[in-house]
Amino acid sequence: MARGLLENYAKAEAVIVGEPTEMQVVTGHKSCDDLQFHVRGKEVHSSRLHEGVSAVMCAARFVEWVRQQNIESQAKTPTATAALYDPPFTTLHVGVMNGGTAHNITAKDCYFSIDLRCVGDDRTEDLLEKIQTQIDMIEAEMKAVDPSSFFDLHVMRGPAVVPEVEGKAEALARRLTGDNGTHTVAYGTDGGHFQAKGFSVVVCGPGSIAQAHQPDEYIEVVEFQAGETMLTRLLDSLQTA
């Protein structure tokens, strides 16, 4: 949706991304990159596993490496930029993994994904380079057994929103909400795509992220009313401009 807007609409002075911030003006959030993996192995009976390549076990090796990266990141003393976020470190999360056909057959295929969220001081490109190095090491061992095996990665980028200096979107959102605090969030939005194209961006909207993506997801009436008030003020300001 965001990319379609970027391709088909003229540039605006300000973009307010409507996500649940409890009407706080959020000027920065982590990047949110979707990393999709496909591991191809070689099927053999598990009693002859040395002749095969288990895609699941190779993927599991990589996931353990991911766990260690999180431990190391969390142990570091946060920089001033990282300290603005909760949690104040870059995270990699494996939420879904599927593969294999039977307990006694080495898995031919395994699919999993990683949710990569970088704090401002960490470059996604640097993390992707480390990830690729680890993949290459595991893949080399796989191919030594079966040259047709592979460990593929597809990346869908979700850019961060970076606090702006005298940003027009921030000034507008503060006038509309009255919020003058400093706020950042760890979740991602489409705002990064707009900012990367030169738009001034903030994130602001009713509701709490703690209530999102839950079986009983909801929004408080008072929050809904606050969002309505902001939009009414916005329309009034546009009519008098």
Side-chain angles (χ1 to χ4, degrees), residues 16 20 33 46 55 79 86 99 108 111 137 147 149 162 169 175 191 225 227:
I16 299 177
D33 301 300
S46 60
T79 64
D86 182 18
K108 181 179 180 180
Y111 301 87
M137 183 184 71
S149 61
V162 179
R175 288 199 304 271
Q225 292 170 337

Side-chain angles (χ1 to χ4, degrees), residues 157-178:
R157 298 294 300 272
V161 167
V162 179
E164 303 167 6
V165 178
E166 298 182 355
K168 292 185 177 181
E170 179 181 351
L172 173 61
R174 293 197 187 286
R175 288 199 304 271
L176 297 176
T177 64

Side-chain angles (χ1 to χ4, degrees), residues 47-67:
S47 65
R48 306 291 299 173
L49 63 84
H50 63 290
E51 297 175 353
V53 177
S54 170
V56 167
M57 293 182 72
C58 290
R61 284 181 57 190
F62 182 81
V63 172
E64 170 58 20
W65 176 82
V66 166
R67 188 181 75 87

Side-chain angles (χ1 to χ4, degrees), residues 5 12-21 23-26 161 164 167-177 189-192 194-195 199-206 227 230-231 233-235 237-238:
L5 288 173
E13 284 194 0
V15 174
I16 299 177
V17 180
E19 293 285 354
T21 69
M23 300 310 299
Q24 295 176 336
V25 179
V26 169
V161 167
E164 303 167 6
K168 292 185 177 181
E170 179 181 351
L172 173 61
R174 293 197 187 286
R175 288 199 304 271
L176 297 176
T177 64
T189 76
D190 287 331
F194 285 98
Q195 194 176 60
F199 291 81
S200 179
V201 175
V202 293
V203 183
C204 184
M230 183 185 77
L231 291 177
R233 290 174 179 170
L234 174 60
L235 291 173
S237 68
L238 292 175

Side-chain angles (χ1 to χ4, degrees), residues 31-238:
S31 61
C32 183
D33 301 300
D34 181 15
L35 314 185
Q36 298 288 333
F37 298 83
H38 176 199
V39 186
R40 168 62 57 83
K42 178 184 178 182
E43 290 181 312
V44 299
H45 192 274
S46 60
S47 65
R48 306 291 299 173
L49 63 84
H50 63 290
E51 297 175 353
V53 177
S54 170
V56 167
M57 293 182 72
C58 290
R61 284 181 57 190
F62 182 81
V63 172
E64 170 58 20
W65 176 82
V66 166
R67 188 181 75 87
Q68 291 297 329
Q69 299 308 299
N70 285 329
I71 292 173
E72 292 175 14
S73 294
Q74 190 169 359
K76 294 178 182 177
T77 301
T79 64
T81 300
L84 297 173
Y85 297 88
D86 182 18
F89 54 89
T90 292
T91 59
L92 298 97
H93 173 252
V94 179
V96 177
M97 176 180 280
N98 294 291
T101 55
H103 76 280
N104 60 349
I105 301 174
T106 57
K108 181 179 180 180
D109 291 292
C110 183
Y111 301 87
F112 67 99
S113 61
I114 285 181
D115 172 285
L116 169 60
R117 298 174 187 266
C118 287
V119 294
D121 288 334
D122 289 342
R123 296 176 66 250
T124 300
E125 290 76 13
D126 294 337
L127 267 295
L128 291 177
E129 186 174 328
K130 288 182 65 177
I131 287 169
Q132 191 60 54
T133 297
Q134 187 67 17
I135 288 174
D136 291 344
M137 183 184 71
I138 297 174
E139 187 180 61
E141 295 178 17
M142 295 166 60
K143 287 185 176 297
V145 178
D146 178 30
S148 66
S149 61
F150 58 77
F151 200 133
D152 280 354
L153 164 63
H154 175 68
V155 180
M156 296 179 63
R157 298 294 300 272
V161 167
V162 179
E164 303 167 6
V165 178
E166 298 182 355
K168 292 185 177 181
E170 179 181 351
L172 173 61
R174 293 197 187 286
R175 288 199 304 271
L176 297 176
T177 64
D179 176 40
N180 290 312
T182 300
H183 311 287
T184 60
V185 293
Y187 59 82
T189 76
D190 287 331
H193 294 292
F194 285 98
Q195 194 176 60
K197 290 293 185 179
F199 291 81
S200 179
V201 175
V202 293
V203 183
C204 184
S208 168
I209 193 64
Q211 298 157 1
H213 303 293
Q214 301 296 317
D216 61 343
E217 183 172 333
Y218 66 95
I219 181 173
E220 298 280 359
V221 173
V222 67
E223 283 283 309
F224 184 85
Q225 292 170 337
E228 181 184 29
T229 298
M230 183 185 77
L231 291 177
T232 300
R233 290 174 179 170
L234 174 60
L235 291 173
D236 290 343
S237 68
L238 292 175

